[in-house]
Amino acid sequence: MDLMKETHPVFDEAEDKSVVRCSLTSCEKCIGRSVSMCSALKDDEIKLLSDISINISKRSKQVICAEGEMAEYLYNVQSGCVRISKMLSDGRRQIIDFLFPGDYFGLVCDNGYNYSAETITDVNLCRMPRNAILEKIKEIPAFSKKILDITIHELLETQEQRLLLGRKNAKERLCSFLLTINARSSKVGFMKKNHIFLPMSRADIADYLGLTIETVSRQFTILAKDNIISLENSPLVRIIDIEELQLIASGG
Amino acid sequence: MDLMKETHPVFDEAEDKSVVRCSLTSCEKCIGRSVSMCSALKDDEIKLLSDISINISKRSKQVICAEGEMAEYLYNVQSGCVRISKMLSDGRRQIIDFLFPGDYFGLVCDNGYNYSAETITDVNLCRMPRNAILEKIKEIPAFSKKILDITIHELLETQEQRLLLGRKNAKERLCSFLLTINARSSKVGFMKKNHIFLPMSRADIADYLGLTIETVSRQFTILAKDNIISLENSPLVRIIDIEELQLIASGG
DNA sequence: CGTGCATTTGACCACCTTCAATAAAGGTGG
DNA sequence: CCACCTTTATTGAAGGTGGTCAAATGCACG
């Protein structure tokens, strides 16, 4: 049974007791209140949302939702790291994004979810019914505008990523990745300057960058040998030469 | 001077006389009125928009706007084909999308345009001031919702494209491309069933698919030899075996 | 201290790119 | 209308970047 849990992360007996009704106080403390879509809502509007939202805790390596599944809910990441990905029938995988506190997912889909979402670390989520959100979008212009702004920003990043996948080499891809993660985690503010925490595996990074595990590992080694980064304490990466990193990332 | 025109498509002495005020009747005839963002507007709202919009005609191979430039306008394609692309400093290019009648561009940017737009064929455009559109978004919920829907759809397609660029091989990429163009041009309804009109060059297709001209050309030849498509009359492609095309595109 | 998994490293290989030549198509001027 | 030139597309041969396969190392956990 322990093995089943590992290979089929859908098993999560802890789920039941980890689901709790959302309270106003939990909304007050939520990071989404200041940086995510909820920041466009007034206190009384938040109240309406919190009434239909629940807090969910999940252990790492669990499935939150699967590609193709009916899209019932929208999720906001409150703590931890989530990956969203798409798959080809033979198992080739493309990771679309790594989500950190304040990010949400589940809005962008037509009919069913167009990607799977899985936890990378232990995660706290806020789960809202999708159709209720769509109602709010129609009713509250400021909310609609905020969602649009976030979606546009997401589209910009995805277009940047297409330039990476279509035209950058392995080294340039990894440098771009490190800078992206650095910028995002420093924005959420839970890392020392120029220190990057990488909760995801080499396989995840590879599937995000359109490379293999081996190529990612080799490029890490090369960047460390060239004194551009340091890999001293494992899941942490220290950026030594950020200018050089930026130069490589942008294609020389 | 003629040479300048070729290498620097920014020169377009015909532009002045090809710019005309937008009229209500031109809005009535515009394809955007039924399929694009304008479909969310009532007649009197269209009137307000048409007052601040102008119609622009451009010859093929002209620059509409350049990456990094101040984003003043939003454009709606009324006829012809436009490509939008991003570049690396050394000239490597990634085409983000080919735009057909009914498509618009210029909304998604932060500060300046994040991509260049160039005409592939002769093109008719509707040009609107960007900040006026942003005002309308705030004022008219139905308009805001429509823009959001279009943006979400765009994001879905861009994510699908990331799976292509990150994980598909050359043959799968070209098959996916042919199916995408086929679906889009049949939606606008100006092509015979299973006939695809490809106004863009091999170089454009290559830069869209993250490949080289030669690889694209070779894959075309292979698909034709395998009787999956036919290349008889040049810019037109006929799909012979669409099921096979779909099978290859989705990774076997 | 041994097992299991992730990561690193090495050797070889394949797909796509690069370079180069040829063919076809398109545009211009005589 | 044809000759000439330019541009674009096709095809071939050689080369390189990243993939595949395999082994070794490191690390966490019982």
Side-chain angles (χ1 to χ4, degrees):
Chain A
M1 187 57 193
D2 267 348
L3 192 126
M4 289 290 279
K5 268 187 63 182
E6 285 308 307
T7 52
H8 300 281
V10 78
F11 290 89
D12 184 12
E13 65 268 55
E15 186 178 9
D16 286 334
K17 62 175 179 286
S18 68
V19 174
V20 296
R21 270 219 100 57
C22 199
S23 69
L24 250 184
T25 48
S26 71
C27 279
E28 292 300 325
K29 286 180 296 188
C30 174
I31 184 167
R33 191 76 184 88
S34 57
V35 303
S36 187
M37 55 186 192
C38 293
S39 65
L41 297 175
K42 302 195 192 76
D43 284 347
D44 55 331
E45 293 161 347
I46 281 282
K47 175 76 175 69
L48 294 172
L49 251 187
S50 76
D51 284 345
I52 55 172
S53 303
I54 61 174
N55 288 80
I56 294 180
S57 297
K58 281 203 176 272
R59 313 299 307 241
S60 72
K61 311 277 169 68
Q62 309 293 311
V63 173
I64 303 169
C65 65
E67 196 174 349
E69 200 178 277
M70 254 272 286
E72 267 189 277
Y73 301 110
L74 189 145
Y75 297 85
N76 211 321
V77 179
Q78 296 175 313
S79 71
C81 183
V82 170
R83 64 168 181 247
I84 61 177
S85 59
K86 293 173 73 75
M87 292 247 296
L88 290 170
S89 49
D90 61 0
R92 279 176 285 174
R93 185 179 67 150
Q94 178 65 40
I95 290 185
I96 300 298
D97 212 355
F98 297 110
L99 304 182
F100 295 97
D103 296 331
Y104 74 85
F105 65 95
L107 178 67
V108 171
C109 46
D110 61 358
N111 237 337
Y113 292 114
N114 288 66
Y115 41 70
S116 302
E118 289 136 342
T119 60
I120 286 180
T121 63
D122 291 357
V123 159
N124 286 306
L125 299 163
C126 173
R127 190 184 82 180
M128 298 152 271
R130 216 169 156 273
N131 47 26
I133 297 295
L134 294 177
E135 283 304 313
K136 290 272 168 298
I137 287 177
K138 280 189 219 155
E139 292 164 12
I140 308 169
F143 188 58
S144 168
K145 182 64 166 51
K146 182 73 186 176
I147 297 263
L148 180 61
D149 286 345
I150 296 175
T151 308
I152 285 177
H153 185 75
E154 222 174 305
L155 191 47
L156 282 174
E157 287 189 343
T158 295
Q159 289 172 352
E160 196 65 39
Q161 203 65 7
R162 274 171 72 172
L163 178 61
L164 179 149
L165 292 172
R167 289 297 176 218
K168 289 185 184 176
N169 64 30
K171 193 173 196 176
E172 292 163 350
R173 291 183 198 201
L174 185 58
C175 291
S176 302
F177 169 74
L178 292 173
L179 288 170
T180 305
I181 298 292
N182 185 48
R184 290 181 66 178
S185 56
S186 73
K187 198 154 69 180
V188 184
F190 49 57
M191 284 302 299
K192 261 196 298 186
K193 194 161 180 298
N194 288 345
H195 282 246
I196 315 177
F197 175 57
L198 298 180
M200 68 292 287
S201 68
R202 292 288 185 263
D204 286 339
I205 298 173
D207 284 348
Y208 181 73
L209 297 177
L211 300 169
T212 59
I213 302 175
E214 293 91 333
T215 299
V216 169
S217 179
R218 274 184 255 267
Q219 293 302 328
F220 264 115
T221 307
I222 292 171
L223 289 179
K225 281 214 180 91
D226 292 350
N227 264 302
I228 297 168
I229 60 171
S230 155
L231 300 170
E232 285 142 28
N233 23 12
S234 192
L236 254 60
V237 175
R238 183 166 59 89
I239 298 182
I240 298 173
D241 189 345
I242 196 162
E243 283 85 7
E244 184 64 16
L245 212 54
Q246 285 162 340
L247 191 68
I248 299 172
S250 64
Chain B
M1 184 58 194
D2 267 346
L3 193 127
M4 289 291 278
K5 267 188 63 182
E6 285 307 308
T7 51
H8 299 282
V10 78
F11 290 89
D12 185 11
E13 65 267 55
E15 186 179 6
D16 287 336
K17 63 174 181 285
S18 69
V19 174
V20 296
R21 271 219 102 54
C22 199
S23 68
L24 251 183
T25 47
S26 71
C27 278
E28 290 301 324
K29 286 181 295 186
C30 174
I31 186 166
R33 192 75 185 86
S34 56
V35 304
S36 186
M37 55 184 191
C38 295
S39 66
L41 298 174
K42 301 197 193 75
D43 284 347
D44 55 330
E45 292 162 347
I46 282 281
K47 175 76 176 66
L48 293 171
L49 251 186
S50 74
D51 284 345
I52 55 171
S53 303
I54 61 173
N55 288 85
I56 294 180
S57 298
K58 280 203 176 274
R59 311 302 306 243
S60 72
K61 312 278 170 63
Q62 309 293 312
V63 173
I64 303 170
C65 65
E67 196 173 351
E69 199 178 279
M70 253 271 285
E72 269 191 276
Y73 301 110
L74 188 146
Y75 297 86
N76 211 319
V77 179
Q78 296 176 314
S79 71
C81 184
V82 169
R83 63 167 182 247
I84 60 178
S85 60
K86 294 172 75 74
M87 293 247 296
L88 291 170
S89 48
D90 61 0
R92 279 176 283 173
R93 185 179 67 152
Q94 179 65 40
I95 290 185
I96 300 298
D97 211 356
F98 297 109
L99 303 182
F100 295 99
D103 295 332
Y104 74 85
F105 66 94
L107 177 67
V108 172
C109 44
D110 60 358
N111 238 335
Y113 292 114
N114 287 66
Y115 40 70
S116 303
E118 289 136 342
T119 60
I120 287 179
T121 63
D122 292 356
V123 159
N124 285 306
L125 299 163
C126 174
R127 190 184 83 181
M128 298 153 271
R130 216 170 155 273
N131 49 26
I133 297 295
L134 294 176
E135 282 304 313
K136 291 271 168 300
I137 286 176
K138 279 189 218 153
E139 293 166 12
I140 309 170
F143 188 57
S144 170
K145 182 65 166 52
K146 182 72 186 178
I147 298 263
L148 180 60
D149 285 346
I150 295 175
T151 307
I152 285 177
H153 185 75
E154 222 173 306
L155 190 47
L156 282 174
E157 289 189 341
T158 294
Q159 288 172 352
E160 195 66 39
Q161 203 67 4
R162 275 171 72 173
L163 178 61
L164 178 148
L165 292 172
R167 288 300 177 216
K168 289 185 183 177
N169 64 28
K171 192 174 196 174
E172 292 163 350
R173 290 183 199 202
L174 185 58
C175 290
S176 302
F177 169 73
L178 292 173
L179 288 170
T180 305
I181 298 292
N182 185 48
R184 291 181 65 178
S185 56
S186 73
K187 199 155 65 179
V188 185
F190 50 54
M191 284 305 296
K192 261 196 298 188
K193 194 161 179 299
N194 287 345
H195 281 248
I196 315 175
F197 175 57
L198 297 181
M200 67 291 286
S201 67
R202 293 288 186 262
D204 286 339
I205 298 173
D207 284 347
Y208 181 72
L209 297 176
L211 300 169
T212 59
I213 302 175
E214 295 92 331
T215 301
V216 169
S217 180
R218 276 184 252 270
Q219 294 302 327
F220 264 116
T221 307
I222 292 171
L223 289 179
K225 280 216 180 90
D226 292 349
N227 264 304
I228 296 169
I229 61 171
S230 155
L231 300 170
E232 286 141 29
N233 23 12
S234 188
L236 254 61
V237 175
R238 184 166 58 90
I239 298 181
I240 298 172
D241 190 343
I242 196 162
E243 282 86 7
E244 185 63 16
L245 211 55
Q246 286 162 340
L247 191 68
I248 299 171
S250 65

